[in-house]
Amino acid sequence: QVQLVESGGGMVQPGGSLRLSCAASGSIFSIRGMGWYRQAPGKQRELVATIVSDSITNYADSVKGRFTISRDNTKNTAYLQMNSLKPEDTAVYYCNAITMGRSFWGQGTQVTVSS
């Protein structure tokens, strides 16, 4: 089992920045990759960014050049640095961890971009 706890969400003005954190516990040795997803009201959950083997990253086109995913194994934590935020980035952001054949989710953290 892997437990994930997100933090760092909040309200920010357009153009601002936030850094989300995802602290992992439990069978962390089994984690093969981590990612961030988001779900806006009335929309399906969508991929934001993933990181595999601590260095191979993938981003949704809508966040490329603005968001950066990283992972600190010494702290068992993944991060999502979000810059140049736009109102359309408003959503609940979820952390995800993949092991051999299983997927785990955090409880989500709200990000609101509004003036």
Side-chain angles (χ1 to χ4, degrees), residues 18-82:
L18 282 174
R19 188 177 80 155
L20 304 183
S21 299
C22 174
S25 60
S27 301
I28 55 176
F29 62 90
S30 64
I31 295 175
R32 296 295 179 263
M34 298 186 74
W36 289 93
Y37 292 72
R38 67 186 180 187
Q39 187 166 18
K43 296 187 177 181
Q44 290 187 334
R45 190 173 298 188
E46 63 177 4
L47 179 146
V48 175
T50 60
I51 184 166
V52 178
S53 300
D54 299 339
S55 61
I56 301 172
T57 59
N58 180 54
Y59 296 92
D61 288 342
S62 59
V63 306
K64 281 181 181 177
R66 300 188 298 122
F67 290 12
T68 303
I69 188 171
S70 61
R71 186 175 171 185
D72 185 342
N73 288 328
T74 65
K75 298 181 179 179
N76 301 324
T77 300
Y79 303 96
L80 184 68
Q81 177 66 44
M82 305 186 293

Side-chain angles (χ1 to χ4, degrees), residues 80-92:
L80 184 68
Q81 177 66 44
M82 305 186 293
N83 299 328
S84 302
L85 282 161
K86 304 175 181 180
E88 50 263 43
D89 294 318
T90 295
V92 177

